Amino acid sequence: MSSAVCSPGLVWCDRTAAMPPPSDIVKVAIEWPGANAQLIEIDQKKPLSSIVREVCDGWSLSGSEQFALRYADGPQLYITEQSRGEMKNGTILRLAISPARAARQLLERIQSHSIDARLEALKELAKLSADPTFATEYINMEGIGTLARLVESGNHFGEMLAFTLTAFLELMDHGIVSWDLISLSFIKQIAGYVNQPMVDVSILQRSLAILESMVLNSHSLYHRVAQEITVGQLIGHLQVSNQEIQTYAIALINALFLKAPEDRRQEMASTLAQKHLRSIILNHVIRGNRPIKTEMAHQLYVLQVLTFNLLEERMMTKMDPNDQAQRDIIFELRRIAFDGENDPGATEKRKAMYTKDYKMLGFTNHVNPAMDFTQTPPGMLALDNMLYLAKLHQDTYIRIVLENSSREDKHECPFGRCAIELTRMLCEILQVGELPSEGCNDYHPMFFTHDRAWEEFFCVCIQLLNKTWKEMRATAEDFNKVMQVVREQITRALAMKPSSLDQLKSKLRGLSYSEILRLRQSERMSQDDFQSPPIIELRERIQPEILELIKQQRLNRLCEGSCFRKLGNRRRQEKFWFCRLSLNHKVLHYGDLDESPQGEVPFELLTDKIPVSDIKSVVTGKDCPHMKEKSALKQNKEVLDLAFSILYDPDEALNFVAPNKYEYCIWTDGLCALLGREMGSDLTRSDLDTLISMEMKLRLLDLENITIPEAPPPVPKEPSSYNFTYNYG
């Protein structure tokens, strides 16, 4: 019988080694400074205090109640009765002083008269404060009040102040105490660091982060912060070369914007416009020398959404047909189109022709066009867009109106109706009125290139609509078809992320109606061109090998691994973790990272693992455990659509939020493939259609321009006589 020798005098026979360990036994290593590590088996059924006592006895340490276990790697969190289930075989632990004892000692050292001792204590506190177990103990000892007083005193600078602010922010982030308890003097001190022209970068970062958390977590603190912080100072921080500072500054601007009362938002937007926020962001951030990081992209997206949401009030305002000021806007549209320069006499002459003019302008209600603006959305926003076009792009406006009024009635493009429907469509595409999604980074650089980006975007799109109408030779009955084509042209152009409005125009010129038809035909080739029974049969024969090809690609991607972001209360302080599949497809390895990796992460750095054989199922969306735990505010559609979880033995879950839809599809498909289940993502369906279409086209090249019959040809009748020969001469 063969055997494996582990150490002198200790022999395990193969039969024992082959036996799987009980599910409630975890084999770990425990370290203690200056002593050899203990290799022990932890019985998860035993109280944690008993295990700590046994470990202390192994090193002859008394007072086991003063000790606790922590992870030796990664965040080095304390192990509690609630979190002990996360321990895996092979985990390295460390015996440490208990959270309560550590909190008490640090609190005493922080109040020491020795500056060096205080600095070391604050440095250690900044690190430990991320641990919820330690944070609870420290907060219960009034530790936050001690840190607040250190800041309020104004006697700390440099590293000591940076560590103090870091610890304060980490402790508050656990949500154990309310932000409303923060004093006004503390707010003034933090705001002072932000308003100072020269301050240490680390202190400025943490000060901006603290102010943002105050604004987002407390209605009363919003007003206090808004009184202390000037927009001019925040905009000044955008003109530095440090992208981290720029990100924190935009995040605070967004927080102030988001929490401002509705009547203050327009005023704040005007102030930001006067301070040239848009051009500063464009020149110092978007067109800067550094690539845009993920968090900066998110903050730019949030600012874009909040800016467009200022349009919501006009979008949801119905026109009052009896309001003379609103009716005058319609009169002005008619005057610019048909009367040219102000001529009171000419206006009097045309009063009897108003109804005809309104028809030529393309309004549905020729008698009272105000009725066209009573539906919301787009409400008065559509009229605002039309007036902007008529006044600032007068030649374009007159050309569109007169060009269509000179066409045959059945081919004229109704400008008024088109402008109203186009405004509604643009509101839907840009999601005007919806709150920003937490996981979204979809900002468009071109909207930062013009102070009136929304109106200019409308002007570009209304010209596109008029052009597409002519290309389609559309009639009134084709109105909805034209709008569908225009929506497709706009969404395809936006997906290319044009950097300016001129580039948008260029993209749209390349997406003519004929090009849209070509793209549609190409994309639905497999559906439209291959419907005969022989082709369907060929498709069914090809499909299994294509699915196997897709499966292998998904598994290869899982072997390469992906980086995922941990969702927390403060999104700007990103924490990452990495997960990848072993090359033999039997184990999932994962572990925490300090920052987003630039390449492949080796297995050695991923300390945790899950055997694939232990995986029970994969759940998505609202069924994920971490989505059930989040508050309703956090459960926005963006995050729900990217969330999935692995459920494994005994009742554990590994929770994911994918960085984008592509990674979500890759991972859910790959996990389903591992479990022998059907890959059902949108990406699989798209890849399957694309690959099958390509394969079938290759196989049918020899049959080009040959009509494939719906049914096999009939078998010919037997000849009357078989007495025939061929003469090859």
Side-chain angles (χ1 to χ4, degrees):
M1 182 182 295
S2 63
S3 62
V5 179
C6 297
S7 61
L10 181 62
V11 179
W12 291 349
C13 70
D14 283 353
R15 183 168 46 193
T16 305
M19 293 175 61
S23 60
D24 51 3
I25 298 296
V26 182
K27 296 181 179 181
V28 300
I30 302 179
E31 299 175 336
W32 175 254
N36 293 328
Q38 294 186 38
L39 305 178
I40 68 169
E41 294 183 352
I42 292 181
D43 186 348
Q44 295 285 40
K45 294 179 180 178
K46 292 178 63 174
L48 203 54
S49 57
S50 300
I51 296 170
V52 173
R53 189 182 307 114
E54 292 175 8
V55 173
C56 289
D57 291 343
W59 283 310
S60 302
L61 298 173
S62 59
S64 63
E65 66 277 359
Q66 297 294 317
F67 294 93
L69 293 176
R70 290 172 60 186
Y71 288 101
D73 302 317
Q76 300 182 4
L77 300 178
Y78 278 101
I79 295 170
T80 63
E81 290 289 355
Q82 291 73 32
S83 65
R84 63 187 294 177
E86 298 174 9
M87 284 190 295
K88 304 293 185 296
N89 286 317
T91 301
I92 301 176
L93 307 179
R94 179 176 298 154
L95 185 67
I97 60 174
S98 68
R101 184 180 172 190
R104 193 179 309 108
Q105 289 181 358
L106 285 175
L107 199 55
E108 293 171 358
R109 289 163 57 196
I110 286 170
Q111 300 174 72
S112 167
H113 295 295
S114 168
I115 294 178
D116 290 339
R118 193 182 302 174
L119 177 61
E120 285 302 313
L122 287 168
K123 185 176 181 180
E124 189 175 345
L125 177 63
K127 183 179 179 181
L128 278 174
S129 295
D131 189 306
T133 308
F134 170 84
T136 303
E137 297 291 346
Y138 188 81
I139 290 170
N140 288 340
M141 296 176 186
E142 304 297 331
I144 285 184
T146 302
L147 294 177
R149 286 190 291 274
L150 289 176
V151 174
E152 290 168 10
S153 70
N155 298 327
H156 291 73
F157 306 96
E159 263 194 319
M160 189 174 291
L161 179 57
F163 287 133
T164 303
L165 296 179
T166 301
F168 178 86
L169 189 57
E170 290 286 357
L171 291 167
M172 292 299 296
D173 190 42
H174 292 292
I176 299 171
V177 294
S178 171
W179 282 91
D180 290 320
L181 300 176
I182 303 302
S183 67
L184 182 59
S185 59
F186 181 86
I187 297 172
K188 287 180 177 291
Q189 193 67 38
I190 297 296
Y193 299 137
V194 173
N195 291 329
Q196 284 179 19
M198 296 294 291
V199 68
D200 184 79
V201 170
S202 57
I203 294 173
L204 179 57
Q205 281 185 355
R206 288 154 181 79
S207 299
L208 288 167
I210 289 172
L211 291 174
E212 184 197 354
S213 292
M214 288 180 182
V215 172
L216 292 176
N217 290 287
S218 171
H219 180 70
S220 61
L221 291 188
Y222 157 75
H223 295 285
R224 293 180 180 179
V225 172
Q227 290 171 358
E228 298 294 331
I229 293 295
T230 63
V231 172
Q233 285 289 345
L234 292 179
I235 290 179
H237 293 312
L238 296 176
Q239 296 171 287
V240 300
S241 58
N242 187 322
Q243 191 173 121
E244 295 297 322
I245 295 294
Q246 293 175 325
T247 304
Y248 283 104
I250 294 180
L252 181 52
I253 291 173
N254 287 338
L256 290 167
F257 216 141
L258 184 65
K259 293 298 180 178
E262 290 188 14
D263 57 338
R264 280 269 300 133
R265 287 179 190 169
Q266 289 288 355
E267 180 184 337
M268 185 177 175
S270 300
T271 304
L272 293 173
Q274 292 170 8
K275 298 290 184 179
H276 307 293
L277 173 67
R278 177 200 59 76
S279 60
I280 289 172
I281 289 177
L282 179 67
N283 295 323
H284 292 274
V285 179
I286 296 175
R287 292 179 179 172
N289 296 325
R290 300 167 307 283
I292 300 293
K293 294 182 180 179
T294 303
E295 181 55 24
M296 174 59 86
H298 173 72
Q299 294 300 340
L300 292 174
Y301 154 77
V302 172
L303 182 59
Q304 172 186 292
V305 171
L306 295 176
T307 304
F308 283 146
N309 282 356
L310 294 172
L311 304 168
E312 184 181 12
E313 182 182 357
R314 294 293 285 173
M315 180 182 76
M316 300 308 294
T317 300
K318 295 181 180 181
M319 187 172 187
D320 181 0
N322 299 317
D323 188 319
Q324 187 58 44
Q326 295 180 2
R327 292 168 63 89
D328 286 346
I329 298 176
I330 299 178
F331 294 155
E332 181 70 2
L333 289 174
R334 191 208 61 76
R335 184 196 66 75
I336 294 172
F338 301 114
D339 291 350
E341 297 299 322
N342 257 326
D343 182 359
T347 303
E348 289 297 323
K349 293 175 188 176
R350 296 190 61 89
K351 277 187 177 178
M353 303 176 65
Y354 278 7
T355 299
K356 181 181 178 183
D357 289 348
Y358 290 145
K359 182 179 180 182
M360 293 170 67
L361 277 171
F363 289 113
T364 304
N365 191 319
H366 309 151
V367 178
N368 185 6
M371 299 303 295
D372 285 15
F373 300 95
T374 56
Q375 185 177 353
T376 59
M380 290 294 290
L381 184 59
L383 188 59
D384 295 343
N385 287 342
M386 295 165 72
L387 185 63
Y388 181 90
L389 175 69
K391 286 194 168 184
L392 278 86
H393 298 273
Q394 194 169 113
D395 291 344
T396 300
Y397 169 69
I398 293 173
R399 176 178 57 78
I400 291 174
V401 172
L402 297 184
E403 187 180 272
N404 284 289
S405 63
S406 63
R407 290 184 195 168
E408 300 177 45
D409 280 351
K410 65 176 184 177
H411 286 297
E412 66 180 9
C413 175
F415 170 74
R417 184 184 175 192
C418 287
I420 293 170
E421 187 58 36
L422 178 63
T423 301
R424 180 187 294 109
M425 180 197 297
L426 296 183
C427 289
E428 291 174 358
I429 292 173
L430 296 177
Q431 300 179 329
V432 175
E434 295 187 18
L435 287 175
S437 297
E438 186 173 346
C440 187
N441 307 323
D442 188 25
Y443 81 98
H444 295 278
M446 71 174 183
F447 291 130
F448 292 88
T449 62
H450 201 286
D451 289 327
R452 304 292 295 273
W454 165 265
E455 291 85 349
E456 289 294 322
F457 183 46
F458 168 83
C459 294
V460 171
C461 293
I462 193 69
Q463 294 178 71
L464 168 72
L465 196 159
N466 187 59
K467 172 175 168 285
T468 302
W469 186 283
K470 288 188 289 186
E471 290 175 347
M472 294 178 66
R473 296 189 55 80
T475 62
E477 289 76 19
D478 300 320
F479 183 84
N480 290 333
K481 292 180 182 177
V482 175
M483 297 309 297
Q484 289 172 7
V485 172
V486 171
R487 175 186 283 270
E488 188 171 344
Q489 289 171 315
I490 294 171
T491 52
R492 285 181 184 271
L494 287 177
M496 301 178 199
K497 296 288 173 145
S499 59
S500 65
L501 289 163
D502 287 337
Q503 200 174 98
L504 173 69
K505 294 175 186 176
S506 175
K507 302 290 185 187
L508 290 172
R509 278 195 294 271
L511 289 168
S512 62
Y513 175 56
S514 59
E515 177 64 11
I516 291 294
L517 287 181
R518 189 192 68 77
L519 290 170
R520 285 180 174 180
Q521 184 177 9
S522 174
E523 289 169 359
R524 68 189 180 200
M525 186 71 74
S526 58
Q527 288 80 19
D528 292 346
D529 294 350
F530 300 133
Q531 294 301 318
S532 63
I535 301 302
I536 292 174
E537 184 179 344
L538 176 61
R539 182 188 179 93
E540 290 173 352
R541 291 188 180 184
I542 293 174
Q543 184 163 315
E545 58 187 81
I546 298 296
L547 279 172
E548 182 61 28
L549 185 67
I550 294 172
K551 174 183 173 182
Q552 292 304 319
Q553 187 269 342
R554 300 294 193 262
L555 293 177
N556 289 340
R557 277 288 288 107
L558 263 61
C559 290
E560 293 173 11
S562 298
C563 182
F564 299 92
R565 181 175 52 81
K566 287 189 174 182
L567 288 181
N569 294 333
R570 297 190 314 279
R571 189 187 185 280
R572 65 192 178 284
Q573 291 193 344
E574 291 198 305
K575 295 181 179 178
F576 302 93
W577 66 285
F578 197 88
C579 186
R580 61 181 296 197
L581 179 66
S582 63
L583 299 180
N584 61 5
H585 300 173
K586 291 186 177 181
V587 180
L588 278 173
H589 297 263
Y590 65 97
D592 293 336
L593 300 175
D594 294 330
E595 57 184 20
S596 181
Q598 299 303 313
E600 189 176 274
V601 177
F603 290 109
E604 295 75 26
L605 296 180
L606 305 176
T607 55
D608 299 309
K609 58 185 178 181
I610 300 173
V612 173
S613 58
D614 287 352
I615 298 177
K616 293 180 179 178
S617 63
V618 178
V619 295
T620 60
K622 293 181 180 179
D623 295 328
C624 298
H626 58 320
M627 288 296 105
K628 293 177 182 177
E629 295 168 3
K630 296 288 178 186
S631 66
L633 181 64
K634 296 281 185 182
Q635 287 190 32
N636 57 60
K637 188 176 186 298
E638 186 76 26
V639 174
L640 283 175
D641 287 347
L642 299 176
F644 61 98
S645 297
I646 294 173
L647 306 183
Y648 62 98
D649 287 334
D651 289 306
E652 301 292 335
L654 183 62
N655 301 315
F656 300 73
V657 175
N660 50 56
K661 192 67 176 177
Y662 176 80
E663 289 291 333
Y664 170 85
C665 293
I666 288 289
W667 274 84
T668 51
D669 282 344
L671 292 170
C672 286
L674 279 176
L675 300 179
R677 297 173 187 171
E678 182 181 352
M679 299 180 293
S681 74
D682 294 338
L683 183 62
T684 290
R685 286 190 288 272
S686 173
D687 287 350
L688 184 63
D689 287 342
T690 301
L691 293 172
I692 286 182
S693 176
M694 291 173 59
E695 180 67 18
M696 292 181 69
K697 286 176 184 176
L698 289 172
R699 295 195 183 193
L700 297 174
L701 276 177
D702 292 339
L703 297 178
E704 192 172 358
N705 297 325
I706 296 177
T707 303
I708 300 175
E710 292 291 323
V715 177
K717 295 180 180 179
E718 287 190 27
S720 57
S721 169
Y722 288 93
N723 298 325
F724 54 84
T725 60
Y726 291 101
N727 184 356
Y728 292 100

